[in-house]
Amino acid sequence: MLFETGLWVLGYIIRVTGFARALEMPPWFYLSRFNETGLEFLPKDPHNNENYINRYLYLNRLGGVPTLGRTFNMEKFHCLFEPILIGEILVPNRICHVPTITSSSHIDGSVSEKNINHYSTIAKGGTGFIVVGGTSVDEKSCRSTGSNMVVDEDHYIPGLAWLAESMHRYGAKCAVQLQHPGRQVSLSKQDNIVSNDCEGLIPWSQNQTIFNADAIAINKTVQALSADEVIGLVGLFSEAAWRVMQAGFDAVELHAAHGYLLSQFLSPYFNKRNDRFGGSFENRLRLPLAIVDSIQKKCGKGFPVLIRYSVDEWVPEGRDLTESVKIAKEFENAGVAALDLSQSVQEKPGAGFDPMYYPEGWTIYASEEIKKQVKIPVINSHSLRNPEYCEQILAEGKTDLIGLSRQLLADPYWPLKTKYGKTRAIRRCISCLTGCWSDSILAKKEVTCAINPSCNNLHLEIKKKTTAPVHIAVVGGGPAGLEAARVAHERGHFVTLFEKSGELGGAILGCCLVNGKEKMKWYADWIRYQIAVLGIEVQLRTSPSIEELSSFDLVINATGAQSYVPEVHGLKEVVIPFEKVMTCPKVACEFHPQDRKSLPLKGTKIIIWGDHYAAADTAAYLASIGKEVTIITDQKEFGSKIEVIHKYVLFKRFQQTDAEALSSKPFKYPVKIYTNSKINEIKENELFLVDKSFNQVNIPYDHVVTCWTKPNIDLYQQIKAAGIDVVNIGDSVKPRNLHAAVKDGTTIGLTIEEHNLFNPNGNPINDLPIDVVGQILKP
């Protein structure tokens, strides 16, 4: 009995401390438990993961074990923290980082320090399985972005090994996604390689070339692959997989989704070839199955191969769930280790990119059905954000792994915070697509995140406390001011936040009224909660005087933007500022000030005068409550600076339809848009519009709402004139978007030090060489 007890204690310690992984214990170690009679092996059934790695085993290994005086929150999130087998690889939990191209590799496609930092941070945060996204198998013809990873030569192996080790050190298992972008290539600038002679204009794809500001996006010419060239692809993929395995990764994933090259071969919508690689279901599967077979021969069947493919393509004659179930069975029969389910092709970007209009879990139908037909693990992703919901769908057997991508850009510590029950501290992704798509992939830059400035940017991490705290006044409780206050306080400064209204949140709060944009409030609630729990001094309904501000060491002006009425003939005074219309009337809100009231608009015909997000959101809200909305802008295109996928969905709604997979209530009236037009004169109940050809149009109205905005800098100028140290941030510099506001707030919060040195550009600076500081400060 004493021997058995000692053996049990030894095994318990090894499991809890993680030595099992360090010692590379065999799989049977994890597939056993100690009972009162000794070591008991669980029944091994490789076709049933729930039997093979059951919940009891995981709780026996890790559940409820005190660590550093804290307890794991395993009871509430029992399923999320179960292990699972992918092939022969034991993944420690059910949280998967599904592939995302970060575009932060070296220009030649080799692994960079930024790659290491990004993926190691996700592993440190506790993600169990990490798939490194969009890695090219042929540098010459298939760079998905200007700086995505490449693995077509052996000299890439050392960097990949470095990357794999950076994740393994934190207990994560990892894979590399192998990709050929085909027609959606960013580099090279030669012909796009395609399955067959198919070409389409996809303005939100990274392959578009725009020569100047007035040009229309132009597709590159396409080159349909011959049968011999298709066969050559098999070798490219399998050799790349061999290099990934040599580097120490645990698996590879094939990218066969979203209209990229393998997706084109697999798709009935794209693939109209008349040889053995096209047309019929069997022929369309021939290339991906040949690649799987070649990888298994080159790397061995013990090296797991996953496949990511789109369940529904949402295009006429495209693949649907019925065919995707058949494909899942074929992949399982071929030895594929797991299925990573996605959605859509780029012709229908709503479902593929699922901006904030798409509800959490809208794709669960796909994994729920496919899981009934296959026994290999299934990964589902798309807009999964809340741990409670993720736990629920795992418990209900609707998916095997929770796929997180953008959520881990917004908060790489999602798993860690969930484990310790700090779910309210999670910075939930709002699906804005600015940093992770429009401002990065489309603009040829690196991936960033609108609400997490430190994503892919080490310089914006809050790493250390200040050694010399100062007193800071932040004027303005919008996103820029809130983030500046939070970061400065976290660093140890003394912060007082002034807000003239009765509520923190600023311009974000108007989004509460727009059907489908409620996720914006997730960030508003997160930052307001952080301000509250940090104990930052907040003075609502307060506009501080210059004398009061003079007592602070630094003033951060974050007073935002305000609407204005451009010069116009006639009844300028009848024009209503959009802020009065976009005041959320909902009182069931933790931070509701109780005294906010929106301005009701009587009548039906509403003119929206302006552009950018203010005009788009105001138009969408008023149209949703039955108003007949007309937008007037002097720009050649309405909403040119609005994130392109959101605009795609929004314009569908303006036309009384909806984007794929959505079913919102249609607007009562279509939204009309006049571009290249100006209001010349406003009369009572009628205005006169002049277009670029000087044609005049008379439009009747009940109300005119201005959405033109400009920086609110009156206070900033007064503070500067008084000789007080002040810095201007957010929309009070220039009306932009949430991404810019949050980054401004973080940047200034990290910059503040004891001596508020300002460079000739008017910006505070720190981290100066010691001798330079001395030379400046000494008499």
Side-chain angles (χ1 to χ4, degrees):
M1 182 65 184
L2 184 61
F3 173 79
E4 286 85 344
T5 301
L7 189 60
W8 185 91
V9 170
L10 176 62
Y12 183 80
I13 292 172
I14 291 175
R15 288 176 175 128
V16 169
T17 58
F19 289 160
R21 279 192 298 272
L23 297 174
E24 297 185 351
M25 301 299 286
W28 61 259
F29 183 87
Y30 299 102
L31 307 178
S32 62
R33 62 172 177 253
F34 289 94
N35 60 24
E36 56 276 2
T37 61
L39 186 64
E40 174 189 353
F41 291 91
L42 297 177
K44 181 176 181 180
D45 179 0
H47 299 296
N48 189 335
N49 281 287
E50 289 300 311
N51 190 26
Y52 195 31
I53 305 284
N54 64 25
R55 295 175 182 175
Y56 174 84
L57 171 62
Y58 189 63
L59 291 178
N60 185 51
R61 272 181 63 206
L62 292 175
V65 180
T67 302
L68 299 178
R70 301 175 184 177
T71 57
F72 295 171
N73 195 29
M74 296 299 184
E75 194 65 33
K76 185 175 180 181
F77 299 106
H78 176 79
C79 299
L80 271 170
F81 297 108
E82 287 182 322
I84 188 171
L85 281 171
I86 295 180
E88 297 179 5
I89 304 301
L90 185 69
V91 176
N93 59 58
R94 301 299 181 98
I95 304 167
C96 172
H97 173 277
V98 289
T100 306
I101 300 176
T102 64
S103 299
S104 54
S105 305
H106 293 305
I107 194 63
D108 66 347
S110 59
V111 171
S112 69
E113 281 278 7
K114 281 196 168 185
N115 293 139
I116 299 294
N117 177 70
H118 178 75
Y119 287 108
S120 66
T121 299
I122 291 171
K124 186 190 302 183
T127 297
F129 188 63
I130 300 172
V131 184
V132 176
T135 302
S136 297
V137 298
D138 181 20
E139 194 271 341
K140 296 180 180 63
S141 69
C142 72
R143 297 292 293 275
S144 185
T145 69
S147 53
N148 67 285
M149 284 172 49
V150 177
V151 64
D152 66 350
E153 296 287 350
D154 290 354
H155 63 256
Y156 291 111
I157 294 176
L160 288 167
W162 188 24
L163 180 59
E165 172 57 27
S166 75
M167 291 178 274
H168 283 154
R169 66 181 295 197
Y170 293 111
K173 302 299 181 182
C174 53
V176 170
Q177 184 191 59
L178 303 178
Q179 179 203 60
H180 195 304
R183 64 175 188 154
Q184 288 152 211
V185 68
S186 178
L187 296 176
S188 82
K189 296 180 180 179
Q190 301 171 0
D191 294 348
N192 291 346
I193 292 174
V194 293
S195 61
N196 54 290
D197 191 12
C198 55
E199 180 179 6
L201 186 65
I202 315 173
W204 36 79
S205 172
Q206 64 266 44
N207 83 311
Q208 297 301 318
T209 301
I210 300 177
F211 292 103
N212 57 63
D214 294 322
I216 297 174
I218 300 171
N219 268 4
K220 300 164 190 169
T221 55
V222 296
Q223 171 202 340
L225 293 167
S226 68
D228 287 343
E229 288 171 325
V230 174
I231 293 170
L233 287 173
V234 176
L236 286 176
F237 275 92
S238 60
E239 288 168 10
W242 181 87
R243 295 184 186 101
V244 168
M245 183 182 71
Q246 293 304 305
F249 279 85
D250 303 296
V252 290
E253 178 178 279
L254 303 179
H255 196 342
H258 310 156
Y260 294 107
L261 189 60
L262 294 186
S263 168
Q264 286 186 272
F265 276 91
L266 199 58
S267 168
Y269 172 74
F270 291 113
N271 192 342
K272 308 297 183 183
R273 297 174 68 100
N274 56 12
D275 61 5
R276 65 186 184 277
F277 293 106
S280 69
F281 177 77
E282 180 183 11
N283 285 354
R284 287 186 278 112
L285 276 165
R286 194 177 304 279
L287 175 59
L289 290 180
I291 292 172
V292 171
D293 180 65
S294 182
I295 292 173
Q296 290 173 338
K297 289 176 180 175
K298 192 173 290 287
C299 300
K301 291 192 175 182
F303 186 62
V305 179
L306 295 80
I307 294 186
R308 181 173 177 84
Y309 71 103
S310 297
V311 173
D312 275 287
E313 293 183 322
W314 301 102
V315 289
E317 301 182 20
R319 182 167 55 255
D320 59 12
L321 178 59
T322 301
E323 181 171 286
S324 285
V325 169
K326 291 174 59 180
I327 287 175
K329 293 178 181 178
E330 293 294 330
F331 285 156
E332 181 180 37
N333 293 337
V336 170
L339 303 173
D340 183 359
L341 305 181
S342 193
Q343 293 283 334
S344 204
V345 292
Q346 288 200 12
E347 275 75 359
K348 297 293 184 179
F353 295 93
D354 55 346
M356 62 182 69
Y357 299 105
Y358 285 74
E360 181 172 29
W362 70 272
T363 66
I364 294 303
Y365 75 92
S367 57
E368 185 176 14
E369 184 60 33
I370 288 174
K371 262 182 59 63
K372 297 175 184 176
Q373 308 296 328
V374 299
K375 295 178 180 177
I376 56 177
V378 173
I379 306 166
N380 203 323
S381 53
H382 289 273
S383 293
L384 299 178
R385 303 288 184 261
N386 294 290
E388 293 81 3
Y389 178 77
C390 295
E391 175 72 14
Q392 177 186 337
I393 59 177
L394 285 172
E396 293 173 351
K398 294 180 178 179
T399 186
D400 294 305
L401 289 101
I402 298 298
L404 305 178
S405 173
R406 290 172 288 171
Q407 176 55 60
L408 292 173
L409 300 181
D411 195 336
Y413 298 101
W414 189 97
L416 187 65
K417 293 175 183 179
T418 299
K419 169 184 169 182
Y420 285 103
K422 304 299 184 181
T423 56
R424 195 166 184 186
I426 290 173
R427 191 163 26 194
R428 289 181 289 174
C429 168
I430 59 175
S431 303
C432 67
L433 293 174
T434 53
C436 56
W437 187 254
S438 287
D439 290 353
S440 57
I441 307 299
L442 293 188
K444 317 298 184 187
K445 295 183 288 189
E446 297 176 353
V447 159
T448 57
C449 177
I451 62 173
N452 176 20
S454 67
C455 173
N456 226 8
N457 192 337
L458 280 171
H459 300 294
L460 295 181
E461 289 185 346
I462 309 172
K463 285 290 190 181
K464 60 183 180 180
K465 293 277 190 179
T466 181
T467 56
V470 297
H471 289 80
I472 302 165
V474 178
V475 185
L482 291 170
E483 185 70 2
R486 182 185 77 88
V487 174
H489 178 90
E490 291 279 17
R491 294 189 57 235
H493 294 296
F494 305 107
V495 179
T496 302
L497 177 61
F498 298 94
E499 166 56 39
K500 67 179 181 180
S501 75
E503 182 178 19
L504 299 177
I508 307 176
L509 302 178
C511 294
C512 297
L513 295 170
V514 183
N515 182 27
K517 294 193 73 172
E518 296 87 354
K519 289 179 185 175
M520 289 287 284
K521 190 170 174 292
W522 286 356
Y523 177 73
D525 285 347
W526 179 83
I527 189 67
R528 292 189 291 192
Y529 178 70
Q530 293 300 310
I531 296 295
V533 297
L534 290 172
I536 295 173
E537 181 184 354
V538 177
Q539 295 189 23
L540 297 174
R541 301 181 179 87
T542 303
S543 297
S545 66
I546 299 298
E547 182 180 1
E548 188 174 1
L549 294 176
S550 66
S551 65
F552 290 89
D553 298 301
L554 177 69
V555 177
I556 299 175
N557 185 76
T559 48
Q562 61 184 3
S563 62
Y564 70 97
V565 181
E567 288 303 316
V568 63
H569 298 293
L571 304 177
K572 184 175 181 179
E573 64 275 10
V574 304
V575 180
I576 302 170
F578 80 92
E579 295 95 333
K580 290 187 176 181
V581 177
M582 299 297 286
T583 301
C584 180
K586 301 173 184 177
V587 295
C589 172
E590 178 181 1
F591 300 99
H592 194 287
Q594 303 302 318
D595 60 355
R596 67 181 177 200
K597 293 181 181 179
S598 60
L599 177 67
L601 299 182
K602 297 179 181 179
T604 301
K605 300 181 185 298
I606 310 296
I607 303 296
I608 301 296
W609 189 14
D611 209 302
H612 204 38
Y613 283 105
D617 289 344
T618 305
Y621 164 60
L622 292 174
S624 72
I625 61 172
K627 303 298 184 182
E628 187 176 357
V629 175
T630 299
I631 299 173
I632 298 173
T633 176
D634 62 0
Q635 304 296 304
K636 67 177 182 179
E637 173 190 1
F638 174 69
S640 62
K641 295 181 180 179
I642 295 173
E643 194 285 312
V644 64
I645 310 299
H646 283 80
K647 190 166 72 170
Y648 165 85
V649 177
L650 180 65
F651 276 37
K652 291 276 188 181
R653 293 187 169 178
F654 281 177
Q655 297 159 11
Q656 297 177 289
T657 62
D658 222 333
E660 55 279 0
L662 291 177
S663 57
S664 60
K665 182 181 177 181
F667 296 160
K668 185 176 180 180
Y669 302 99
V671 174
K672 300 176 184 177
I673 303 175
Y674 288 89
T675 58
N676 285 313
S677 300
K678 293 184 178 182
I679 297 178
N680 185 48
E681 184 178 7
I682 301 175
K683 292 188 175 182
E684 188 172 355
N685 300 323
E686 185 181 34
L687 58 79
F688 296 90
L689 188 70
V690 178
D691 65 19
K692 66 177 181 179
S693 300
F694 301 103
N695 297 312
Q696 181 171 289
V697 179
N698 299 356
I699 303 177
Y701 72 86
D702 294 310
H703 297 283
V704 179
V705 179
T706 179
C707 296
W708 294 113
T709 58
K710 63 181 180 180
N712 185 8
I713 57 173
D714 291 345
L715 179 63
Y716 173 64
Q717 292 175 335
Q718 293 173 33
I719 298 170
K720 282 189 70 176
I724 301 170
D725 284 344
V726 61
V727 63
N728 198 27
I729 64 171
D731 282 357
S732 50
V733 175
K734 179 182 179 181
R736 289 161 290 170
N737 57 18
L738 178 65
H739 192 166
V742 174
K743 185 175 181 180
D744 277 6
T746 299
T747 302
I748 185 58
L750 291 171
T751 304
I752 301 165
E753 289 297 346
E754 177 183 12
H755 302 293
N756 295 319
L757 295 175
F758 285 74
N759 67 14
N761 301 321
N763 278 38
I765 49 177
N766 61 8
D767 290 334
L768 289 173
I770 294 175
D771 59 330
V772 174
V773 174
Q775 292 159 10
I776 293 173
L777 295 180
K778 288 179 182 177

